[in-house]
Amino acid sequence: EPEVTQTPSHQVTQMGQEVILRCVPISNHLYFYWYRQILGQKVEFLVSFYNNEISEKSEIFDDQFSVERPDGSNFTLKIRSTKLEDSAMYFCASSDQAMNTEAFFGQGTRLTVV
Amino acid sequence: DAKTTQPPSMDCAEGRAANLPCNHSTISGNEYVYWYRQIHSQGPQYIIHGLKNNETNEMASLIITEDRKSSTLILPHATLRDTAVYYCIVRRRYGSGNTGKLIFGQGTTLQVKP
């Protein structure tokens, strides 16, 4: 069964450093998403991406965040200057249609900012 | 997107049916009901979705009331592996200001007991 793959599974970084979280969506999917989940809290939407541009972003997704689909297969989330409060699980998701079909989620990257 | 209300927690005996309720009294005609679950901080997993008719797949059944103000997810024979947080999410059709994002609430923590 096709799946969304995220790397690394766990990343530890120093406050102020840049991190790039990587995702390989399912190959024929066209819609891509990032979500995060702070420990013990609910899953929060960050950004949706379609046709090589952001289609929607949440208030969390400020100027420190960016997304890119650099090579037609990877989908990355960059945090420019990490803060302690960026520590969370980050989930990538993809779907083949935004309309009425399910999103498939990766297993997440646990980001720890120290 | 309409808000949903779910009980924070439920227990179910292994082998019995688990019936998880969800209220979405402000749902509008172009909004679908989706169910996802999250097993112990893994990525959310799609279960089922529907508009107004009852739906069944290999994982579960979805019963939507005639007025569409509430629904019930049924896991017919719960196993220990079904212990998870279950999320009921209402989402508009793509193109109605919806980019495919999912808004997660707190969900229902289902504990399946031996």
Side-chain angles (χ1 to χ4, degrees), chain A residues 7 47 56 61 63 71 75 86 106 112:
Chain A
T7 54
V47 65
E56 187 174 0
F61 195 90
D63 292 343
D71 56 12
F75 180 49
D86 294 327
T112 303

Side-chain angles (χ1 to χ4, degrees), chain A residues 63-87:
Chain A
D63 292 343
Q64 295 293 333
F65 292 88
S66 63
V67 290
E68 195 177 34
R69 189 155 158 79
D71 56 12
S73 61
N74 291 287
F75 180 49
T76 61
L77 174 69
K78 182 193 291 186
I79 308 175
R80 194 163 302 127
S81 177
T82 51
K83 303 188 280 276
L84 295 176
E85 53 266 37
D86 294 327
S87 295

Side-chain angles (χ1 to χ4, degrees), chain B residues 4-112:
Chain B
T4 63
T5 305
Q6 299 178 253
S9 64
M10 291 182 65
D11 289 343
C12 177
E14 189 179 19
R16 305 297 290 264
N19 296 282
L20 293 97
C22 179
N23 282 322
H24 30 79
S25 58
T26 61
I27 193 169
S28 61
N30 64 351
E31 290 181 318
Y32 285 68
V33 180
Y34 282 78
W35 283 84
Y36 281 77
R37 73 180 181 183
Q38 187 177 26
I39 298 172
H40 190 56
S41 296
Q42 295 178 20
Q45 178 189 23
Y46 167 82
I47 302 172
I48 199 166
H49 76 281
L51 182 62
K52 49 181 144 179
N53 297 323
N54 297 338
E55 302 286 345
T56 295
N57 63 21
E58 65 277 4
M59 287 182 70
S61 295
L62 173 61
I63 309 297
I64 303 174
T65 57
E66 197 168 336
D67 63 7
R68 302 186 68 238
K69 292 186 177 182
S70 66
S71 60
T72 301
L73 177 74
I74 301 171
L75 307 178
H77 305 287
T79 71
L80 299 178
R81 287 176 295 179
D82 292 321
T83 292
V85 180
Y86 287 77
Y87 300 100
C88 171
I89 299 169
V90 169
R91 201 187 81 180
R92 285 171 287 171
R93 282 179 175 272
Y94 182 75
S96 303
N98 170 39
T99 61
K101 73 179 181 189
L102 296 164
I103 303 298
F104 290 83
Q106 299 292 348
T108 296
T109 299
L110 176 68
Q111 182 73 46
V112 180

Side-chain angles (χ1 to χ4, degrees), chain A residues 29-48:
Chain A
H29 285 187
L30 300 175
Y31 299 84
F32 312 109
Y33 310 89
W34 283 101
Y35 294 80
R36 79 171 186 189
Q37 186 174 32
I38 296 170
L39 186 64
Q41 298 187 22
K42 60 186 181 181
V43 178
E44 300 173 289
F45 167 76
L46 292 178
V47 65
S48 56

